[in-house]
C-alpha cells in the first residue's frame, strides 16, 4: 500500500479531515503527473505527439490576452459570489 493511502486512512480514523483531504488531493495530483510522464511525449500513441497537437503560434498568441481578459472579469466575480453566499450573516 502506498504511503499516501496510509496517511489518508490514518487521518480519517483519527478524524483529521483536513489532513485526509490533503493526502487524497496529493494522491490524485501525483497519479495524473505519473500518467502524463509515462506517456510523454505521446498523447495518443503512436500518431499524436505533444508537438503535433499544439495549435499554431498565431492562435496561441491571440489566446493569451483573451485568457487575461477573462480572468479580469471572472476572478472579481468569483470573489463577490463567495463574499455574498459564504458570509456569516
Amino acid at each position: 500500500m502506498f504511503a499516501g493511502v496510509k496517511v489518508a486512512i490514518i487521518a480519517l480514523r483519527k478524524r483529521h479531515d483536513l489532513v485526509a483531504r490533503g493526502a487524497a488531493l496529493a494522491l490524485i495530483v501525483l497519479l495524473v503527473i505519473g500518467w502524463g510522464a509515462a506517456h510523454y511525449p505521446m498523447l495518443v500513441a503512436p500518431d499524436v505527439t505533444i508537438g503535433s497537437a499544439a495549435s499554431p503560434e498565431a492562435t496561441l498568441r491571440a489566446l493569451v490576452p483573451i485568457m487575461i481578459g477573462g480572468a479580469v472579469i471572472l476572478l472579481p466575480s468569483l470573489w463577490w459570489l463567495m463574499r455574498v453566499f459564504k458570509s456569516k450573516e
Side-chain angles (χ1 to χ4, degrees):
M1 191 180 310
F2 296 112
V5 176
K6 289 180 183 178
V7 169
I9 290 172
I10 291 169
L12 284 172
R13 285 185 181 161
K14 292 186 176 187
R15 305 265 187 215
H16 296 297
D17 295 335
L18 193 59
V19 174
R21 287 179 191 169
L25 178 66
L27 285 168
I28 297 301
V29 167
L30 291 173
L31 178 75
V32 171
I33 289 172
W35 176 82
H39 283 66
Y40 182 81
M42 297 297 202
L43 290 177
V44 179
D47 299 328
V48 183
T49 64
I50 293 173
S52 68
S55 295
E57 189 174 341
T59 304
L60 296 175
R61 288 189 187 277
L63 190 61
V64 171
I66 292 169
M67 296 291 286
I68 292 171
V72 166
I73 294 170
L74 180 66
L75 294 177
S77 301
L78 286 173
W79 175 82
W80 182 62
L81 180 72
M82 292 299 155
R83 175 120 175 143
V84 168
F85 289 104
K86 292 288 186 177
S87 65
K88 302 267 186 206
E89 299 173 5

